[in-house]
Amino acid sequence: MEYLWSDKKRTIFGLPISFTKYALNEERLFIETGFLNKSEDEVRLYRITDVSLKRSFWQRIFKVGTIHCCSADKSMGDFDIVSVKNPKDVKEQLSQLIEQQRMAKKVTNREYMGDVADEAEHDDFF
C-alpha cells in the first residue's frame, strides 16, 4: 500500500524513538502502536469531523506538534496524532483529504443549532 504521509511519534529531542507509527492514504488514517503486543487502528477520513493543532513550548523547540482529531468513528472516538514532524503541513494535508472524502461520499455535518430549534418549538405558544 502506498502512503501519502507516514511518521512515528517523536519523543525526547524530537527523535522518532517510539513504537507508535502513523500513516495516511487517500481514504484512511492508520495508527499502529506497541512493540511485542501490537495494536492497529484505522479511521476512514470522512468520519473525521474536525482537526486542530496543539504545540507546547518544547514541541515548538523541536519542531513537532500534536494534531487532535474529532471523529464520528465509534471505535476510535476523538484521538491525537502525537508529536509528529511538520505538524502544520500534516494538518493541512489531512484537512484537504478529509474534505475530498466527505465530498466524494456526500457526507455533511449536521451541527446542532439549539437556539433555532428551541425558538421553533416556542413559536407555537405565541
Side-chain angles (χ1 to χ4, degrees):
M1 182 180 302
E2 189 174 320
Y3 297 117
L4 301 172
W5 169 81
S6 65
D7 199 0
K8 283 182 147 186
K9 176 182 170 185
R10 294 173 181 269
T11 55
I12 191 163
F13 305 121
L15 298 173
I17 305 170
S18 169
F19 298 109
T20 301
K21 297 178 187 175
Y22 304 104
L24 177 68
N25 70 16
E26 292 177 352
E27 296 181 355
R28 297 178 287 180
L29 173 69
F30 303 91
I31 302 172
E32 182 182 298
T33 57
F35 174 63
L36 295 175
N37 297 322
K38 289 193 175 241
S39 172
E40 295 180 20
D41 289 311
E42 72 176 62
V43 63
R44 297 207 174 264
L45 295 180
Y46 73 88
R47 292 185 173 271
I48 298 174
T49 57
D50 191 31
V51 291
S52 61
L53 175 62
K54 298 176 186 177
R55 298 178 75 196
S56 70
F57 174 72
W58 293 108
Q59 285 179 319
R60 288 193 326 259
I61 287 175
F62 296 113
K63 299 179 181 172
V64 298
T66 297
I67 301 167
H68 179 73
C69 298
C70 297
S71 167
D73 190 284
K74 294 187 188 233
S75 64
M76 290 278 294
D78 294 354
F79 61 93
D80 291 330
I81 303 170
V82 181
S83 293
V84 292
K85 197 173 183 181
N86 302 317
K88 285 184 180 180
D89 295 338
V90 174
K91 178 184 165 280
E92 185 60 32
Q93 182 180 22
L94 184 60
S95 292
Q96 288 175 1
L97 288 169
I98 289 167
E99 195 61 33
Q100 287 174 4
Q101 283 298 303
R102 292 178 77 75
M103 287 173 44
K105 304 274 188 203
K106 298 179 180 169
V107 176
T108 59
N109 270 355
R110 293 184 183 171
E111 296 182 14
Y112 176 71
M113 299 177 67
D115 295 338
V116 174
D118 290 342
E119 288 176 16
E121 287 179 16
H122 295 295
D123 286 343
D124 293 339
F125 294 111
F126 297 108

